[in-house]
């Protein structure tokens, strides 16, 4: 019933958060030490905590267990999703290591918030009840609002946090409203009970109100995923937040929310497939469309990446259409490659600083990378590979991700949207190779000195590069993990 | 124990460029001459291995030889299968030969980023060898697309003028749009058959309507690559802007990938669709031959002249392929090989002129025979080879194609023959304008005949063209059985 073992990593992190909080509060206000800045110290401590919690999560056995009064579930999906989330957080931590020092992001609370966000995401993957789903998503969202506005002195950051908060509160309200409608009509909150209730229902037997409740929940989840047409917040929030927070938003929460979407669509509300399929289809269509054409007009890296990730979300949803085992595993495959690619590109964007006489400035505009091939050939090469992968050119990892997604779509005869997605990804290619053009072909007028990247982030960049370049040698290895992760969603 | 399977010459041929590439990676870029030597030696060794392929090739069977299968993704029934037959062997030989020439030709003309340049060429060689030897539809697609990456960089970085960026874009996007439609067809085929292995697919009968749709999807990709007339816009641009070696490999091999794709995939997989679409192909080819020949007459850029004449020759190739009889197909293969040698040689000649005078506009050249006699003789020979003079390889190819076409349709043959006359017109006129007349000393006052390196680049090509023209049976006898079995699959 109360299985502490199943949430051991979360408990471990929570305990450590308390200790860290006390440590931070005591020491940063210590006059005799001269009010020390604990930033670097905290960073390392958080790294250590994450590594230990990774080991704890790794040592768990992936069993199909319902515990905590059927509020939480642990299965293959949660097992691997936890590992991936913790690993991705470690990667994110390493890549934002240099940034926090350089930008003097000296709030130790930042790292504690990050840890809390990780706990929230770990819980989201396990949530198995409308109640826990609402609580965990709200938990995560609240932390994200604070993270977006962490840079107190910056107008943009505050604005981003506020925008995110207002719009996110709407989405949370939708989620709560939808859940309460479903609860009011059925009297059930547990996902598995609901799925048993809905089993075998045919179109006209489903009450209209129930569909309304379901759509409310779905909209809230699509909002959290920043799928179009609920994407409007994401470019603004991405742009306003400090870039390492942007990296956090774009790398981490997608997988957790996707897991929740799987549970909803493919498990609990599977019999509503005729309703949600068209919603997902429209969302996929719009996401790909807006992601592609939105990115065209951008001149700033952050907004560019925001639209690019909306485009990727479109592909996630495209694969979800068919709603079978293959589609889930292809979504997870895409998700893993998305995390790897985004880690790589953010390792670059977060850490590149230019020095033009008398001041240092961050990479902000897309045109800043002009002439990179001359100033730093290897970095240029790495970025080129990552961009080709994002464009989906074989034999990079991004191609295989798109391949499996399209395969899943073709299996349900969704030819129209597949051809549309293919043509859009061709158009998307145009702006990815525009960046490559900036790197290699363009002549430069004002030469800038590039400061060397932080060691840790170049480590992450290198790892992501290896992942992208050499994944094609053993696609099966990743696909076995994705297949295992998709098993729990079978009926 | 030594695994003897690795001594398969096909695997050696495909891996050698990769080994050279890895060695190049660790050499510091400042040691330019050493880089060049390593690349040249790698290319030479690859060529030797590919000669072993020819020596050991058994011409009395239509089966795939030197075949090797590797488990790549066995759970999804995807394998990596290599093997060659009479159709693909000569393309591999052509690739390895032209790579040597490309590296030699850019010995002193490439001034910057030499290491990266050589890496691009070895990578290109690797991909091309794979394209011609892989027996799996998915892997063919992967390598077919991968070729874009190095070629895009070669055109974009080392191209000669500002227009190169536009050319690189056009090249990239045209090819990508074409082949992405092929991807959808590929996925549908994979979903339907459950395998992408070529030998399995050959025994699968698609329904007629599916054949037609798939054929069109494949056609969109191959027709862009060949290029057929409405899709040819990228070719003159890319040729004109690429560095000499880039043009050589583009004209020599990349164009052949389309023809090879028709032979290897379209004809055996979709025989009924092939017959159904024969009139379309013939019409497009005739238009290509006549229109491209007439366009050639009014070009002023030397490289564009050769590029348009390539389009016209490729019209012959498609007529040959879709005449669907022994003469036509063998003729088209021979014409492709011959065009690979002749047009490469012509591009080399123009590269020689460009290296000396830094212009490719026809207006500035005249009377070169007086000051560059050796060059003039070579240029004369290649011009005559280009127009299909008896004794040169193009003659045999075009003759066979016309014989093949004559059995089907006499009007078609009549128009194709007009193409030959027009070919003579533009070739000889080009030669006249460059080599005869008075020297335009108001533009150039210093002249230099070809150097020893250039002589030794051009001489083997001359000998090969003569060999293929005088004694073509040594090439044709190797492909008889493969082509016959290809035709058997049709009827």
């Amino acid at each position: 019933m109360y299985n502490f073992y199943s949430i051991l990593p979360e408990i471990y992190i929570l305990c450590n958060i308390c200790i860290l909080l006390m440590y931070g509060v005591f020491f940063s206000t210590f006059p005799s030490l001269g009010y020390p800045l604990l930033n670097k110290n905290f960073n390392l401590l958080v790294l250590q905590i994450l590594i230990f919690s990774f080991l704890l999560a790794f040592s768990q056995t992936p069993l199909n267990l319902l515990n905590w009064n059927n509020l939480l579930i642990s299965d293959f999906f949660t097992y691997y999703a936890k590992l991936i989330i913790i690993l991705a957080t470690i990667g994110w931590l390493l890549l934002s290591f240099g940034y926090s020092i350089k930008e003097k992001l000296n709030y130790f609370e930042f790292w504690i918030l990050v840890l809390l966000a990780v706990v929230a995401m770990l819980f989201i993957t396990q949530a198995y009840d409308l109640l826990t789903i609402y609580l965990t998503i709200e938990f995560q969202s609240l932390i994200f609002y604070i993270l977006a506005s962490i840079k107190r002195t910056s107008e943009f950051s505050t604005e981003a946090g506020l925008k995110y908060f207002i719009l996110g509160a709407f989405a949370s309200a939708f989620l709560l409203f939808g859940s309460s409608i479903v609860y009011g009509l059925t009297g059930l909150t547990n996902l598995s009970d609901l799925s048993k209730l809905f089993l075998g229902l045919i179109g006209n037997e489903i009450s209209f109100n129930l569909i309304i409740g379901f759509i409310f929940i779905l909209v809230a989840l699509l909002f959290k995923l920043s799928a179009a047409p609920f994407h409007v917040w994401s470019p603004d929030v991405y742009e306003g937040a400090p870039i390492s927070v942007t990296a956090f938003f774009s790398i981490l929460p997608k997988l957790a929310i996707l897991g929740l979407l799987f549970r909803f669509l493919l498990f609990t509300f599977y019999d509503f497939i005729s309703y949600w399929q068209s919603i997902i289809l429209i969302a996929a269509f719009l996401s790909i469309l807006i992601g592609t054409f939105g990115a065209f007009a951008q001149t700033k890296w952050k907004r560019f990446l925001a639209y690019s990730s909306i485009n990727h979300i479109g592909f996630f949803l495209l694969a979800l259409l068919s709603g079978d085992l293959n589609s889930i595993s292809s979504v997870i495959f895409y998700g893993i490659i998305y995390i790897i690619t985004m880690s790589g590109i953010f390792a670059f964007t977060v850490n590149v600083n230019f020095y033009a006489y008398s001041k240092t400035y961050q990479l902000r505009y897309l045109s800043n990378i002009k002439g990179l091939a001359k100033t730093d050939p290897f970095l240029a090469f790495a970025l080129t590979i990552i961009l080709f992968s994002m464009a989906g050119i074989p034999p990079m990892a991004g191609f295989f991700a798109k391949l499996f997604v399209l395969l899943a779509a073709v299996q349900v005869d969704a030819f129209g949207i597949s051809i549309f997605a293919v043509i859009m990804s061709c158009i998307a290619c145009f702006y990815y190779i525009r960046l490559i053009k900036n790197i290699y072909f363009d002549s430069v007028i004002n030469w800038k000195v590039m400061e060397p990247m932080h060691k840790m982030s170049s480590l992450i960049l290198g790892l992501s590069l290896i992942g992208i370049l050499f994944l094609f040698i053993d696609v099966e290895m990743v696909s076995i993990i994705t297949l295992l992760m998709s098993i729990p969603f079978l009926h | 124990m030594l695994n003897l399977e690795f001594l398969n010459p096909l695997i050696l041929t495909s891996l050698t460029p990769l080994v050279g590439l890895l060695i190049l990676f660790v050499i510091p870029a400042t040691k330019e001459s050493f880089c060049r030597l390593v690349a040249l030696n790698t290319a030479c060794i690859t060529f030797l291995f590919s000669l072993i392929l020819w020596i050991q090739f058994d011409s009395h069977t239509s089966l795939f030889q030197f075949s090797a299968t590797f488990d790549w993704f066995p759970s999804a029934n995807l394998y990596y299968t290599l093997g060659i037959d009479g159709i693909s062997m000569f393309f591999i030989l052509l690739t390895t030969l032209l790579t040597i020439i490309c590296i030699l030709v850019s010995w002193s003309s490439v001034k910057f980023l030499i290491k990266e340049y050589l890496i691009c060429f070895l990578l290109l060689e690797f991909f091309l060898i794979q394209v011609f030897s892989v027996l799996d539809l998915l892997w063919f697609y992967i390598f077919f697309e991968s070729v874009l990456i190095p070629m895009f960089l070669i055109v974009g970085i080392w191209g000669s003028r500002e227009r190169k960026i536009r050319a690189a874009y056009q090249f990239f996007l045209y090819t990508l749009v074409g082949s992405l439609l092929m991807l959808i067809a590929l996925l549908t085929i994979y979903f339907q058959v459950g395998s992408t292995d070529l030998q399995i697919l050959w025994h699968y009968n698609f329904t007629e309507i599916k054949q037609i749709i798939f054929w069109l999807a494949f056609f969109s990709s191959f027709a862009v690559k060949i290029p057929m007339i409405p899709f040819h816009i990228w070719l003159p641009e890319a040729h004109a802007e690429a560095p000499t070696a880039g043009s050589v490999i583009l004209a020599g091999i990349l164009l052949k990938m389309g023809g090879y794709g028709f032979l290897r995939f379209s004809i055996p997989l979709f025989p009924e669709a092939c017959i159904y679409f024969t009139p379309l192909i013939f019409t497009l080819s005739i238009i290509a031959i006549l229109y491209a020949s007439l366009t050639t007459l009014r070009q002023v850029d030397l490289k564009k002249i050769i590029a348009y004449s390539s389009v016209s020759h490729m019209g012959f190739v498609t007529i040959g392929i879709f005449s669907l009889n022994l003469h036509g197909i063998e003729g088209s293969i021979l014409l492709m090989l011959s065009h690979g040698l002749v047009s490469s040689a012509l591009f080399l000649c123009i590269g020689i002129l460009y290296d000396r005078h830094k212009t490719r506009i026809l207006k500035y050249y005249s009377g070169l025979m007086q000051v560059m006699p050796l060059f003039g003789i070579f240029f004369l020979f290649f011009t005559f080879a280009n127009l299909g003079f008896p004794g040169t390889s193009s003659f045999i190819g075009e003759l066979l194609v016309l014989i093949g076409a004559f059995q089907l349709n006499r009007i078609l043959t009549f128009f194709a023959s007009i193409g030959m006359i027009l070919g003579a017109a533009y070739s000889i006129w080009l030669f006249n304008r460059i080599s005869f007349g008075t020297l335009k000393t108001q533009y150039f006052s210093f002249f230099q005949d070809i150097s020893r390196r250039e002589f030794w680049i051009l001489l083997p090509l001359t000998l090969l063209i003569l060999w293929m023209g005088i004694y073509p049976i040594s090439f044709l006898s190797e492909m008889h059985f493969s082509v016959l079995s290809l035709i058997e699959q049709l009827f």
Side-chain angles (χ1 to χ4, degrees):
Chain A
M1 196 58 89
Y2 294 102
N3 186 350
F4 281 97
Y5 176 70
S6 74
I7 54 165
L8 206 54
E10 291 87 335
I11 294 175
Y12 173 74
I13 297 176
L14 279 173
C15 291
N16 275 296
I17 287 170
C18 299
I19 299 169
L20 276 187
L21 207 53
M22 283 191 282
Y23 166 69
V25 169
F26 280 126
F27 272 79
S28 65
T29 53
F30 223 69
S32 62
L33 293 174
Y35 303 105
L37 292 174
L38 297 171
N39 187 21
K40 204 173 167 185
N41 191 350
F42 256 72
N43 200 325
L44 290 170
L45 281 171
V46 169
L47 182 63
Q48 187 195 11
I49 291 164
L50 283 173
I51 289 172
F52 281 140
S53 61
F54 177 78
L55 293 177
L56 276 177
F58 189 70
S59 65
Q60 285 182 323
T61 27
L63 282 176
N64 214 342
L65 270 181
L66 278 174
N67 33 44
W68 296 91
N69 274 332
N70 297 351
L71 289 175
L72 299 177
I73 190 174
S74 58
D75 53 23
F76 274 113
F77 177 79
T78 62
Y79 178 73
Y80 286 108
K82 275 182 185 178
L83 292 184
I84 292 170
I85 286 171
I86 297 175
L87 263 187
T89 319
I90 292 173
W92 172 82
L93 204 69
L94 292 178
L95 73 86
S96 58
F97 200 87
Y99 176 84
S100 65
I101 296 169
K102 191 159 281 168
E103 287 293 305
K104 302 193 176 60
L105 215 59
N106 290 328
Y107 322 110
F108 68 85
E109 296 91 337
F110 182 52
W111 305 106
I112 287 170
L113 286 170
V114 165
L115 275 185
L116 279 170
V118 172
V119 173
M121 280 182 284
L122 295 183
F123 273 122
I124 286 177
T125 57
Q126 303 181 75
Y128 202 60
D129 192 292
L130 290 177
L131 206 60
T132 36
I133 286 170
Y134 176 73
L135 283 176
T136 49
I137 283 200
E138 200 53 24
F139 181 18
Q140 186 218 36
S141 304
L142 280 172
I143 294 161
F144 279 12
Y145 306 146
I146 308 170
L147 276 178
S149 54
I150 190 76
K151 209 168 177 181
R152 286 183 294 229
T153 49
S154 154
E155 265 176 55
F156 294 108
S157 183
T158 322
E159 185 195 332
L162 204 60
K163 270 182 186 164
Y164 196 9
F165 173 67
I166 292 168
L167 291 171
F170 261 109
S172 298
F174 278 174
L175 181 61
L176 194 60
F177 188 45
S179 310
S180 58
I181 289 176
V182 171
Y183 173 68
L185 287 173
T186 60
L188 299 170
T189 56
N190 190 283
L191 292 192
S192 115
D193 293 346
L194 281 169
S195 112
K196 274 172 204 152
L197 184 72
F198 297 144
L199 192 67
L201 280 184
I202 323 163
N204 50 10
E205 290 173 8
I206 301 171
S207 99
F208 181 69
N209 300 335
L210 199 58
I211 294 166
I212 294 284
F214 166 68
I215 288 175
F216 269 116
I217 298 175
L218 190 57
V219 164
L221 289 180
L222 288 179
F223 175 89
K224 299 288 174 198
L225 209 54
S226 80
F230 313 106
H231 68 286
V232 187
W233 60 275
S234 99
D236 285 347
V237 171
Y238 272 42
E239 194 193 0
I243 192 159
S244 72
V245 176
T246 312
F248 192 80
F249 287 169
S250 84
I251 297 170
L252 283 158
K254 305 282 193 258
L255 189 67
I257 305 279
L258 273 174
L260 211 53
L261 210 57
F262 295 153
R263 282 205 205 288
F264 261 107
L265 297 184
L266 304 175
F267 182 72
T268 309
F269 292 92
Y270 186 74
D271 297 280
F272 288 47
I273 189 159
S274 53
Y275 297 99
W276 61 255
Q277 211 166 23
S278 49
I279 297 176
I280 293 288
L281 180 71
I282 292 166
F285 174 80
L286 284 176
S287 300
I288 294 176
L289 188 76
I290 290 171
T292 307
F293 284 105
F296 250 114
Q298 304 310 321
T299 52
K300 290 179 179 170
W301 268 101
K302 284 184 193 169
R303 290 185 81 87
F304 173 77
L305 288 171
Y307 278 106
S308 163
S309 75
I310 291 170
N311 190 6
H312 288 301
I313 294 295
F315 275 90
F316 286 130
L317 296 178
L318 177 61
L320 259 181
L321 271 183
S322 67
D324 59 2
L325 190 69
N326 262 335
S327 81
I328 305 174
S329 78
S330 66
V331 174
I332 298 171
F333 191 91
Y334 202 110
I336 291 173
I337 287 167
Y338 172 84
I339 289 174
I340 295 174
T341 320
M342 280 294 164
S343 308
I345 197 135
F346 271 108
F348 173 80
T349 40
V350 169
N351 285 287
V352 167
N353 285 293
F354 296 105
Y355 177 77
Y357 175 65
S358 85
K359 64 175 181 196
T360 316
Y361 61 94
Q362 246 191 305
L363 182 73
R364 184 167 300 145
Y365 295 98
L366 289 175
S367 57
N368 283 157
I369 56 169
K370 271 183 190 169
L372 190 68
K374 305 257 169 57
T375 48
D376 194 338
F378 197 79
L379 198 58
F381 169 75
L383 192 60
T384 309
I385 297 292
I386 291 173
L387 287 171
F388 271 130
S389 168
M390 284 167 88
I393 305 294
M396 316 303 177
F399 167 73
F400 290 101
K402 283 195 176 141
L403 181 79
F404 291 126
V405 165
L406 287 175
L407 187 62
V410 163
Q411 281 179 357
V412 286
D413 289 344
F415 289 112
I417 185 98
S418 312
I419 291 173
F420 170 77
V422 155
I423 290 169
M424 282 299 144
S425 75
C426 206
I427 294 171
C429 255
F430 182 79
Y431 57 74
Y432 290 123
I433 64 172
R434 189 173 63 187
L435 292 179
I436 296 168
K437 183 200 87 173
N438 276 347
I439 298 172
Y440 278 103
F441 308 164
D442 275 358
S443 49
V444 190
I445 302 159
N446 297 320
W447 287 95
K448 284 157 292 196
V449 181
M450 235 180 68
E451 294 186 357
M453 272 171 83
H454 196 266
K455 256 183 231 161
M456 293 300 178
S457 63
S458 27
L459 177 74
I460 291 301
L461 184 59
L463 285 177
S464 128
L465 197 64
I466 288 171
I468 288 168
L469 262 181
F470 296 111
L471 181 110
F472 76 94
I473 294 174
D474 205 350
V475 176
E476 192 164 36
M477 183 183 66
V478 183
S479 84
I480 284 173
I481 294 176
T482 57
L483 267 180
L484 275 177
M485 282 171 79
S486 57
I487 284 172
F489 302 104
L490 272 182
H491 304 280
Chain B
M1 209 176 78
L2 190 67
N3 190 354
L4 284 175
E5 215 172 75
F6 257 92
L7 291 179
N8 180 343
L10 187 56
I11 295 173
L12 287 177
T13 315
S14 11
L15 286 183
T16 320
L18 274 191
V19 174
L21 201 141
L22 287 179
I23 298 171
L24 265 185
F25 253 113
V26 293
I27 300 174
T30 46
K31 295 184 176 173
E32 292 177 356
S33 54
F34 188 48
C35 284
R36 286 198 195 98
L37 272 181
V38 168
L40 182 64
N41 284 327
T42 315
C44 287
I45 294 169
T46 319
F47 181 58
L48 287 182
F49 281 135
S50 64
L51 279 183
I52 294 176
L53 278 183
W54 191 6
I55 294 167
Q56 291 191 353
F57 188 78
D58 177 10
S59 58
H60 299 291
T61 171
S62 64
L63 296 175
F64 286 106
Q65 301 176 34
F66 310 109
S67 57
T69 305
F70 302 97
D71 288 354
W72 176 63
F73 197 169
S75 60
N77 204 8
L78 295 170
Y79 298 90
Y80 185 62
T81 317
L82 286 173
I84 55 168
D85 64 353
I87 296 173
S88 54
M89 181 181 66
F90 288 111
F91 289 112
I92 295 177
L93 277 163
L94 189 68
T95 311
T96 50
L97 175 73
L98 286 184
T99 312
I100 299 180
I101 287 170
C102 286
I103 290 171
L104 274 177
V105 100
S106 40
W107 202 258
S108 57
S109 61
V110 172
K111 299 274 191 282
F112 57 97
L113 294 174
I114 288 160
K115 184 178 148 189
E116 285 80 357
Y117 182 79
L118 296 169
I119 286 175
C120 274
F121 265 97
L122 288 182
L123 196 65
L124 196 57
E125 184 184 16
F126 170 73
F127 285 146
L128 286 168
I129 292 173
Q130 297 305 304
V131 163
F132 291 124
S133 62
V134 85
L135 295 180
D136 189 288
L137 198 50
L138 178 65
W139 280 100
F140 174 80
Y141 177 82
I142 290 173
F143 290 117
F144 191 84
E145 284 278 275
S146 311
V147 168
L148 286 180
I149 300 174
M151 202 61 218
F152 173 70
L153 294 177
I154 287 170
V155 174
I157 300 176
W158 294 281
S160 42
R161 292 183 295 189
E162 276 310 304
R163 210 178 155 80
K164 66 187 179 180
I165 295 169
R166 187 190 148 97
Y169 262 71
Q170 275 194 356
F171 166 70
F172 196 90
L173 291 175
Y174 259 87
T175 322
L176 196 70
V177 172
S179 47
L180 280 173
L181 289 178
M182 181 175 149
L183 178 66
I184 299 279
L186 188 158
L187 289 172
T188 322
I189 289 173
Y190 172 61
F191 175 57
Q192 193 181 340
V193 184
S195 165
T196 55
D197 190 283
L198 198 60
Q199 279 145 305
I200 294 172
L201 290 180
W202 278 1
H203 295 290
Y204 192 90
N205 286 325
F206 296 97
T207 58
E208 200 162 321
I209 183 75
K210 273 194 175 153
Q211 280 196 22
I212 286 172
I213 293 167
F214 291 155
W215 190 93
L216 279 175
F218 277 62
F219 173 77
S220 73
S221 149
F222 297 145
V224 167
K225 212 60 180 190
I226 277 190
M228 313 260 315
I229 206 76
F231 315 109
H232 70 291
I233 305 294
W234 64 272
L235 181 84
E237 289 277 342
H239 268 313
E241 305 311 321
T244 308
S247 305
V248 167
I249 213 135
L250 200 59
I253 308 162
L254 257 69
L255 303 191
K256 275 70 197 176
M257 278 159 51
Y260 176 77
F262 275 133
L263 286 171
R264 182 62 92 216
F265 299 101
S266 292
I267 291 181
L269 290 181
F270 321 121
E272 285 158 32
C274 271
I275 295 165
Y276 179 83
F277 279 113
T278 303
L280 172 74
I281 292 276
F282 283 164
T283 315
L284 288 180
S285 307
I286 289 293
I287 293 172
I289 292 173
L290 297 179
Y291 171 73
S293 301
L294 291 172
T295 319
T296 316
L297 284 169
R298 54 175 286 274
Q299 295 299 316
V300 291
D301 187 310
L302 289 174
K303 272 191 167 178
K304 278 199 174 165
I305 292 178
I306 312 300
Y308 274 108
S309 88
S310 298
V311 176
S312 128
H313 280 108
M314 286 299 136
F316 276 103
V317 169
T318 40
I319 285 183
I321 290 173
F322 283 90
S323 61
L324 300 176
N325 51 38
L326 186 69
H327 293 107
I329 292 179
E330 280 191 356
S332 67
I333 296 172
L334 204 69
L335 190 58
M336 279 196 264
L337 295 175
S338 139
H339 178 262
L341 298 172
V342 175
S343 68
S344 312
L346 282 168
F347 276 121
L348 290 175
C349 288
I350 289 156
I352 288 168
L353 286 183
Y354 184 79
D355 282 350
R356 281 160 180 64
H357 305 302
K358 302 294 171 217
T359 178
R360 285 190 303 256
I361 306 298
L362 200 53
K363 177 187 161 194
Y364 298 104
Y365 295 104
S366 181
L368 287 183
M369 202 56 145
Q370 301 162 35
V371 283
M372 299 172 77
L374 268 178
F375 170 81
I377 288 168
F378 274 121
F379 194 55
L380 176 71
F381 178 78
F382 294 131
T383 312
F384 272 71
N386 197 33
L387 66 87
F389 200 71
T392 59
S393 51
S394 305
F395 174 71
I396 308 291
E398 288 180 12
L399 185 72
L400 282 172
V401 166
L402 290 179
I403 291 173
F406 195 75
Q407 297 168 10
L408 276 180
N409 192 334
R410 290 180 194 178
I411 300 169
L412 170 77
T413 324
F414 171 72
F415 279 110
S417 311
I418 287 182
M420 282 186 83
I421 298 169
L422 287 173
Y426 64 71
S427 300
I428 295 179
W429 195 33
L430 167 69
F431 180 76
N432 264 354
R433 282 181 290 176
I434 286 189
S435 299
F436 299 147
T438 51
L439 270 177
K440 292 185 175 167
T441 39
Q442 70 265 39
Y443 298 127
F444 310 126
S445 40
F446 294 101
F447 298 95
Q448 183 208 349
D449 211 340
I450 53 176
S451 65
R452 190 179 295 163
R453 174 173 57 84
E454 287 154 354
F455 180 81
W456 285 109
I457 293 172
L458 292 178
L459 188 66
L461 289 175
T462 317
L463 296 179
L464 266 172
I465 291 168
L466 278 177
W467 178 12
M468 216 183 265
I470 293 170
Y471 195 65
I473 199 68
S474 53
F475 295 90
L476 291 176
S477 65
E478 306 281 358
M479 51 179 99
H480 278 323
F481 277 84
S482 304
V483 174
L484 274 176
S485 80
L486 179 69
I487 293 169
E488 263 171 33
Q489 281 170 339
L490 274 170
F491 302 109

